[in-house]
mmCIF file of all heavy atoms in Angstrom:
data_model
loop_
_atom_site.group_PDB
_atom_site.id
_atom_site.type_symbol
_atom_site.label_atom_id
_atom_site.label_comp_id
_atom_site.label_asym_id
_atom_site.label_seq_id
_atom_site.Cartn_x
_atom_site.Cartn_y
_atom_site.Cartn_z
ATOM 1 N N MET A 550 91.109 97.890 143.989
ATOM 2 C CA MET A 550 90.981 96.964 142.826
ATOM 3 C C MET A 550 89.952 97.416 142.020
ATOM 4 O O MET A 550 90.023 97.806 140.711
ATOM 5 C CB MET A 550 91.016 95.475 143.136
ATOM 6 C CG MET A 550 92.266 94.919 143.684
ATOM 7 S SD MET A 550 92.037 93.181 143.881
ATOM 8 C CE MET A 550 93.539 92.572 144.444
ATOM 9 N N SER A 551 88.701 97.293 142.562
ATOM 10 C CA SER A 551 87.437 97.515 141.915
ATOM 11 C C SER A 551 87.355 99.009 141.220
ATOM 12 O O SER A 551 87.027 99.164 140.036
ATOM 13 C CB SER A 551 86.235 97.194 142.782
ATOM 14 O OG SER A 551 84.996 97.634 142.084
ATOM 15 N N VAL A 552 87.672 99.948 142.160
ATOM 16 C CA VAL A 552 87.501 101.278 141.710
ATOM 17 C C VAL A 552 88.578 101.662 140.521
ATOM 18 O O VAL A 552 88.124 102.323 139.522
ATOM 19 C CB VAL A 552 87.648 102.290 142.753
ATOM 20 C CG1 VAL A 552 87.715 103.746 142.336
ATOM 21 C CG2 VAL A 552 86.517 102.122 143.871
ATOM 22 N N ASN A 553 89.699 101.227 140.613
ATOM 23 C CA ASN A 553 90.751 101.599 139.706
ATOM 24 C C ASN A 553 90.514 100.819 138.434
ATOM 25 O O ASN A 553 90.879 101.370 137.284
ATOM 26 C CB ASN A 553 92.228 101.363 140.220
ATOM 27 C CG ASN A 553 92.589 102.287 141.257
ATOM 28 O OD1 ASN A 553 92.441 103.512 141.103
ATOM 29 N ND2 ASN A 553 93.203 101.926 142.347
ATOM 30 N N MET A 554 90.082 99.636 138.516
ATOM 31 C CA MET A 554 89.629 98.919 137.298
ATOM 32 C C MET A 554 88.530 99.643 136.499
ATOM 33 O O MET A 554 88.639 99.887 135.228
ATOM 34 C CB MET A 554 89.216 97.472 137.717
ATOM 35 C CG MET A 554 88.873 96.678 136.451
ATOM 36 S SD MET A 554 87.829 95.293 136.904
ATOM 37 C CE MET A 554 86.381 95.981 137.393
ATOM 38 N N LYS A 555 87.557 100.063 137.242
ATOM 39 C CA LYS A 555 86.502 100.790 136.550
ATOM 40 C C LYS A 555 86.847 102.119 136.003
ATOM 41 O O LYS A 555 86.387 102.475 135.045
ATOM 42 C CB LYS A 555 85.336 100.978 137.522
ATOM 43 C CG LYS A 555 84.679 99.642 137.918
ATOM 44 C CD LYS A 555 83.441 99.894 139.045
ATOM 45 C CE LYS A 555 82.874 98.631 139.449
ATOM 46 N NZ LYS A 555 81.915 98.825 140.484
ATOM 47 N N ALA A 556 87.870 102.817 136.633
ATOM 48 C CA ALA A 556 88.370 104.101 136.077
ATOM 49 C C ALA A 556 89.024 103.838 134.844
ATOM 50 O O ALA A 556 88.987 104.488 133.844
ATOM 51 C CB ALA A 556 89.276 104.749 137.166
ATOM 52 N N ALA A 557 89.984 102.742 134.875
ATOM 53 C CA ALA A 557 90.666 102.396 133.535
ATOM 54 C C ALA A 557 89.784 102.003 132.493
ATOM 55 O O ALA A 557 90.056 102.410 131.258
ATOM 56 C CB ALA A 557 91.599 101.205 133.982
ATOM 57 N N ARG A 558 88.684 101.342 132.862
ATOM 58 C CA ARG A 558 87.786 101.002 131.745
ATOM 59 C C ARG A 558 87.094 102.152 131.180
ATOM 60 O O ARG A 558 86.908 102.330 129.896
ATOM 61 C CB ARG A 558 86.626 100.008 132.279
ATOM 62 C CG ARG A 558 85.682 99.678 131.308
ATOM 63 C CD ARG A 558 84.593 98.767 131.801
ATOM 64 N NE ARG A 558 85.033 97.423 132.258
ATOM 65 C CZ ARG A 558 84.791 96.791 133.402
ATOM 66 N NH1 ARG A 558 84.067 97.446 134.424
ATOM 67 N NH2 ARG A 558 85.240 95.592 133.616
ATOM 68 N N MET A 559 86.794 103.167 131.918
ATOM 69 C CA MET A 559 86.129 104.325 131.322
ATOM 70 C C MET A 559 87.148 105.121 130.475
ATOM 71 O O MET A 559 86.717 105.688 129.492
ATOM 72 C CB MET A 559 85.704 105.314 132.515
ATOM 73 C CG MET A 559 84.524 104.775 133.277
ATOM 74 S SD MET A 559 83.117 104.588 132.193
ATOM 75 C CE MET A 559 83.026 102.843 131.899
ATOM 76 N N LEU A 560 88.488 105.145 130.829
ATOM 77 C CA LEU A 560 89.445 105.801 130.049
ATOM 78 C C LEU A 560 89.626 105.093 128.701
ATOM 79 O O LEU A 560 89.701 105.788 127.678
ATOM 80 C CB LEU A 560 90.815 105.854 130.816
ATOM 81 C CG LEU A 560 90.978 106.713 131.870
ATOM 82 C CD1 LEU A 560 92.311 106.582 132.589
ATOM 83 C CD2 LEU A 560 90.908 108.228 131.453
ATOM 84 N N CYS A 561 89.462 103.801 128.757
ATOM 85 C CA CYS A 561 89.503 102.962 127.461
ATOM 86 C C CYS A 561 88.301 103.297 126.590
ATOM 87 O O CYS A 561 88.495 103.498 125.328
ATOM 88 C CB CYS A 561 89.616 101.546 127.698
ATOM 89 S SG CYS A 561 91.159 100.999 128.488
ATOM 90 N N TYR A 562 87.081 103.351 127.211
ATOM 91 C CA TYR A 562 85.918 103.649 126.433
ATOM 92 C C TYR A 562 85.988 104.998 125.863
ATOM 93 O O TYR A 562 85.608 105.208 124.762
ATOM 94 C CB TYR A 562 84.667 103.654 127.369
ATOM 95 C CG TYR A 562 84.159 102.163 127.762
ATOM 96 C CD1 TYR A 562 83.189 102.062 128.642
ATOM 97 C CD2 TYR A 562 84.733 101.083 127.150
ATOM 98 C CE1 TYR A 562 82.621 100.782 129.048
ATOM 99 C CE2 TYR A 562 84.364 99.870 127.583
ATOM 100 C CZ TYR A 562 83.297 99.682 128.523
ATOM 101 O OH TYR A 562 82.800 98.393 128.784
ATOM 102 N N ARG A 563 86.625 105.901 126.600
ATOM 103 C CA ARG A 563 86.701 107.303 125.985
ATOM 104 C C ARG A 563 87.638 107.278 124.869
ATOM 105 O O ARG A 563 87.338 107.857 123.771
ATOM 106 C CB ARG A 563 87.296 108.340 127.114
ATOM 107 C CG ARG A 563 87.564 109.689 126.510
ATOM 108 C CD ARG A 563 87.771 110.753 127.561
ATOM 109 N NE ARG A 563 88.409 111.856 127.072
ATOM 110 C CZ ARG A 563 87.622 112.880 126.370
ATOM 111 N NH1 ARG A 563 86.363 112.739 126.289
ATOM 112 N NH2 ARG A 563 88.281 113.862 125.903
ATOM 113 N N ALA A 564 88.746 106.682 124.989
ATOM 114 C CA ALA A 564 89.744 106.592 123.814
ATOM 115 C C ALA A 564 89.033 105.890 122.632
ATOM 116 O O ALA A 564 89.326 106.367 121.578
ATOM 117 C CB ALA A 564 91.075 105.733 124.302
ATOM 118 N N GLY A 565 88.314 104.806 122.936
ATOM 119 C CA GLY A 565 87.650 104.066 121.845
ATOM 120 C C GLY A 565 86.657 104.996 121.143
ATOM 121 O O GLY A 565 86.535 104.992 119.864
ATOM 122 N N TYR A 566 85.880 105.710 121.864
ATOM 123 C CA TYR A 566 84.819 106.606 121.277
ATOM 124 C C TYR A 566 85.565 107.638 120.416
ATOM 125 O O TYR A 566 85.100 107.931 119.312
ATOM 126 C CB TYR A 566 84.071 107.250 122.498
ATOM 127 C CG TYR A 566 83.193 108.466 121.963
ATOM 128 C CD1 TYR A 566 82.069 108.259 121.297
ATOM 129 C CD2 TYR A 566 83.609 109.732 122.065
ATOM 130 C CE1 TYR A 566 81.186 109.276 120.889
ATOM 131 C CE2 TYR A 566 82.916 110.743 121.748
ATOM 132 C CZ TYR A 566 81.697 110.484 121.025
ATOM 133 O OH TYR A 566 80.911 111.525 120.626
ATOM 134 N N LEU A 567 86.561 108.314 120.924
ATOM 135 C CA LEU A 567 87.323 109.150 120.133
ATOM 136 C C LEU A 567 87.992 108.617 118.832
ATOM 137 O O LEU A 567 88.040 109.305 117.875
ATOM 138 C CB LEU A 567 88.389 109.886 120.962
ATOM 139 C CG LEU A 567 87.864 110.777 122.117
ATOM 140 C CD1 LEU A 567 88.959 111.389 123.052
ATOM 141 C CD2 LEU A 567 87.009 112.029 121.708
ATOM 142 N N ARG A 568 88.371 107.402 118.946
ATOM 143 C CA ARG A 568 88.912 106.739 117.741
ATOM 144 C C ARG A 568 87.776 106.482 116.688
ATOM 145 O O ARG A 568 87.992 106.728 115.526
ATOM 146 C CB ARG A 568 89.517 105.408 118.113
ATOM 147 C CG ARG A 568 90.806 105.414 118.897
ATOM 148 C CD ARG A 568 91.370 104.148 119.390
ATOM 149 N NE ARG A 568 91.627 103.243 118.282
ATOM 150 C CZ ARG A 568 92.743 103.294 117.697
ATOM 151 N NH1 ARG A 568 93.762 104.002 118.002
ATOM 152 N NH2 ARG A 568 92.978 102.359 116.647
ATOM 153 N N ASP A 569 86.625 106.185 117.200
ATOM 154 C CA ASP A 569 85.488 105.973 116.359
ATOM 155 C C ASP A 569 85.039 107.275 115.561
ATOM 156 O O ASP A 569 84.506 107.072 114.451
ATOM 157 C CB ASP A 569 84.277 105.310 117.168
ATOM 158 C CG ASP A 569 84.439 103.829 117.391
ATOM 159 O OD1 ASP A 569 85.078 103.117 116.537
ATOM 160 O OD2 ASP A 569 83.932 103.329 118.360
#
Side-chain angles (χ1 to χ4, degrees):
M550 285 181 179
S551 176
V552 172
N553 286 320
M554 178 199 69
K555 291 175 181 178
R558 180 182 288 136
M559 289 300 103
L560 287 173
C561 290
Y562 284 175
R563 173 170 170 76
Y566 168 77
L567 293 176
R568 289 173 63 86
D569 278 330

